Amino acid sequence: MRIAFLHRSLSGGGTEADLRRMATGLVERGHAVHVFTADHAAPPAGVVAHRVPVLRAHSEALTIECERPITPGDVRDILKKAPGVKLVDDPEKNYFPMPKDATGQGDVLVGRIRQDSSDPSGKSIALFVAGDQLLKGAALNAVQIAEVMIEKGYL
């Protein structure tokens, strides 16, 4: 069962839930929330809402700012070749990183890759990652770091 994507997609890769969560978060922190119309544009904001079943994996919503403009396609191409990363990003099939899927594997799952709507320069990408906190977050990661240190002659 996949529950990562509960609301319809909006242009740019976000969802209605992302926008609702941003407004709710602002209210919870005591901020006024305004309705934006064509006459009053919304300030730039990048948000993500993700409901996840979590047993032993960590997940994070990330925003990465690059030196030059970059597209979600560029990021996907880079991540396809990255060691220790598994691209899990298929909006058509509602398939994105889920902590329950990351549990028990050494790769970090990466998906929901989209342009950050709060950055008009096109240099920022929003994405979601999930990884097994015991394997990649501790044991496997320590072994991989030691292997690199041995290879480079530091140990």
Side-chain angles (χ1 to χ4, degrees), residues 114-134:
R114 61 203 183 283
Q115 210 73 48
D116 177 13
S117 59
S118 70
D119 180 7
S121 74
K123 296 179 182 178
S124 296
I125 293 288
L127 48 89
F128 191 80
V129 301
D132 187 302
Q133 67 194 31
L134 300 178

Side-chain angles (χ1 to χ4, degrees), residues 106 108 132-147:
V108 173
D132 187 302
Q133 67 194 31
L134 300 178
L135 291 175
K136 192 61 179 177
L140 178 61
N141 213 38
V143 170
Q144 290 172 329
I145 291 169
E147 288 173 343

